[in-house]
């Protein structure tokens, strides 16, 4: 498929970084933005109660450099979802998303996340209420089913109900979630992937935006799915090996720019680190998201060791990052720059 503005948003997210609890915070997103100007970045899931009643600046605040950015909400009460969506939109987010995929005990007890796969009409009510409240895209991220559900009717029911209610997109994690018997961690690996199920959904609904999530590790592996589907959402691979994002703008968005090297990403992040340090943010809170940047390259172990050991020390500043960067093979940088 070619990039167009037919589907759900002006930035058409052919690539997105998945919402990941305790990982995709504002410092992670600022770092990822150094690698790709076009990728859609997601917040961690935030509950409607936290957004409505908590410290909003702390919970959903972000910097302008993070655009395009989507906020993922956890909840199931249409009135609360609409109120939280309005708050999110007023903060300037480009999209608001409903979590119908998280399998943790906490979200099950709160009647949101993956357990909502069994209540597609309730999710549709949330979508409709949110669409009435905001002008930004409202999207859904779901699984292909839970527990003993048959993925064929389960995913169809979720897609049909939410699109009928006005959802602008459906991102599908192509695994079941087992709410009984598997931990959240096991639910990310043990249930088998079924990409064909997502492709079949797109073939049935060709005019709707259907994005693929789950187990995507490299662009070479994932890019062929864009011949059928509309977007790719990377999770752990984007976090643990973020250097792959340096190719996204050229390969998936057709940008006539050079790929962003890991060294360029670090240098571009320095001003952000300095600014946040001046506001009292600890260096380790930011550099923890950068540990995998040089994965597979000479000096990667030294890079990780210096950041892990030195960044946690009192008063640690950008000189720690500069020292870690110097430990990565200069010869490798020269070769990268010459490509």
């Amino acid at each position: 498929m070619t990039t167009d503005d037919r589907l759900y948003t002006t930035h058409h997210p052919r690539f997105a970084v998945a919402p990941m609890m305790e990982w995709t915070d504002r410092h992670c997103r600022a770092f990822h933005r150094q690698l790709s100007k076009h990728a859609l970045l997601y917040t961690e899931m935030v509950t409607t109660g936290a957004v409505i009643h908590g410290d909003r600046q702390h919970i959903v605040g972000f910097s302008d450099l993070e655009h395009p950015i989507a906020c993922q909400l956890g909840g199931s009460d249409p009135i609360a979802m609409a109120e939280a969506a309005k708050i999110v939109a007023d903060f300037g987010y480009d999209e608001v998303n409903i979590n119908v995929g998280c399998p943790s005990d906490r979200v099950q007890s709160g009647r949101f996340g993956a357990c909502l796969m069994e209540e597609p009409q309730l999710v549709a009510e949330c979508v409709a209420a949110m669409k009435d409240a905001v002008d930004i895209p409202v999207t859904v991220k779901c699984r292909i089913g839970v527990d003993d559900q048959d993925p064929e009717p389960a995913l169809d029911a979720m897609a049909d109900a939410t699109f009928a209610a006005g959802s602008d997109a459906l991102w599908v994690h192509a695994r079941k979630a087992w709410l009984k018997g598997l931990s959240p961690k096991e639910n990310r690996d043990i249930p088998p992937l079924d990409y064909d199920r997502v492709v079949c959904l797109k073939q049935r609904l060709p005019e709707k935006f259907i994005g693929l999530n789950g187990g995507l590790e490299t662009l070479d592996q994932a890019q062929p799915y864009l011949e059928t589907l509309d977007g790719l959402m990377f999770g752990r691979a984007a976090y643990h090996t973020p250097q792959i994002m340096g190719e996204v703008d050229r390969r998936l968005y057709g940008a006539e720019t050079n790929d962003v090297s890991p060294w360029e990403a670090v240098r571009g992040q320095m001003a952000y680190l300095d600014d946040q340090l001046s506001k009292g943010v600890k260096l380790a809170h930011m550099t923890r998201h950068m540990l995998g940047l040089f994965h597979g390259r000479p000096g990667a172990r030294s890079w990780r060791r210096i950041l892990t050991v030195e960044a946690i020390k009192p008063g640690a500043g950008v000189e720690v990052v500069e020292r870690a960067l110097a430990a990565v093979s200069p010869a490798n940088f020269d070769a990268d720059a010459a490509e």
Side-chain angles (χ1 to χ4, degrees):
M1 296 184 65
T2 58
T3 302
D4 59 55
D5 58 3
R6 172 174 61 88
L7 296 164
Y8 111 72
T9 180
T10 54
H11 61 260
H12 187 101
R14 291 171 67 79
F15 183 95
V17 178
M20 292 176 281
M21 293 299 292
E22 300 184 358
W23 287 3
T24 52
D25 63 17
R26 66 186 68 188
H27 306 308
C28 176
R29 299 190 302 263
F31 168 55
H32 283 173
R33 186 56 71 211
Q34 295 297 331
L35 290 152
S36 169
K37 301 304 180 189
H38 298 291
L40 177 61
L41 304 180
Y42 273 77
T43 67
E44 305 167 85
M45 181 194 69
V46 292
T47 65
T48 54
V51 173
I52 295 169
H53 304 294
D55 181 344
R56 294 175 185 175
Q57 185 59 47
H58 174 72
I59 293 167
V60 295
F62 68 96
S63 59
D64 286 342
L65 65 85
E66 296 173 46
H67 288 292
I69 180 173
C71 181
Q72 186 182 68
L73 294 177
S76 60
D77 177 74
I79 295 174
M81 290 291 278
E83 183 178 353
K86 180 65 166 59
I87 293 168
V88 164
D90 289 345
F91 261 81
Y93 280 86
D94 300 294
E95 172 191 324
V96 59
N97 176 270
I98 304 174
N99 183 318
V100 189
C102 181
S104 76
D105 292 339
R106 173 171 169 252
V107 300
Q108 290 182 59
S109 63
R111 199 187 178 195
F112 59 95
C115 63
L116 289 175
M117 286 298 300
E118 298 179 317
E119 300 187 77
Q121 289 304 319
L122 177 58
V123 180
E125 291 173 21
C126 291
V127 170
M130 294 161 71
K131 290 292 290 185
D132 284 344
V134 302
D135 293 326
I136 60 175
V138 175
T139 67
V140 175
K141 184 173 185 289
C142 70
R143 295 279 185 137
I144 60 174
V146 294
D147 295 334
D148 293 323
Q149 279 187 320
D150 182 339
E152 292 293 328
L155 184 58
D156 279 351
M158 182 59 63
D160 291 346
T162 54
F163 281 129
S167 177
D168 294 282
L170 185 68
W171 291 97
V172 184
H173 184 157
R175 303 180 196 268
K176 269 191 173 185
W178 287 92
L179 305 180
K180 305 177 182 67
L182 292 181
S183 69
K185 182 179 185 299
E186 290 170 330
N187 263 300
R188 293 193 292 267
D189 297 301
I190 293 177
L193 289 161
D194 190 353
Y195 295 151
D196 289 343
R197 178 66 191 93
V198 186
V199 170
C200 287
L201 178 67
K202 175 62 181 179
Q203 291 171 336
R204 187 173 72 82
L205 301 172
E207 297 304 312
K208 302 299 185 182
F209 186 103
I210 308 291
L212 180 66
N213 173 235
L216 300 176
E217 296 181 348
T218 69
L219 292 181
D220 286 343
Q221 167 215 9
Q223 192 167 1
Y225 286 100
L226 287 178
E227 296 177 7
T228 306
L229 299 167
D230 303 297
L232 305 170
M233 179 179 280
F234 277 52
R236 285 169 289 169
Y239 190 85
H240 291 305
T241 55
Q243 60 182 275
I244 63 177
M245 293 180 61
E247 302 177 17
V248 162
D249 291 357
R250 174 182 59 84
R251 292 184 59 170
L252 302 188
Y253 290 90
E256 295 181 357
T257 56
N258 294 327
D259 293 345
V260 179
S261 76
W263 295 269
E264 290 169 328
V266 175
R267 291 183 176 122
Q269 185 71 346
M270 287 297 196
Y272 177 85
L273 297 177
D274 245 341
D275 176 67
Q276 294 297 303
L277 286 166
S278 72
K279 297 175 181 177
V281 177
K282 303 297 184 184
L283 183 66
H285 292 171
M286 299 179 281
T287 55
R288 70 186 182 94
H289 303 300
M290 303 167 66
L291 296 178
L293 182 59
F294 291 94
H295 177 78
R297 295 177 182 263
R301 182 176 298 179
S302 295
W303 163 262
R304 293 192 301 271
R305 177 182 54 78
I306 292 171
L307 291 186
T308 301
V309 174
E310 300 295 327
I312 62 173
K313 294 182 177 179
V318 293
E319 71 280 353
V320 172
V321 181
E322 292 168 348
R323 187 158 63 250
L325 193 61
V328 184
S329 172
N332 194 52
F333 171 75
D334 293 340
D336 187 89
E339 290 177 358

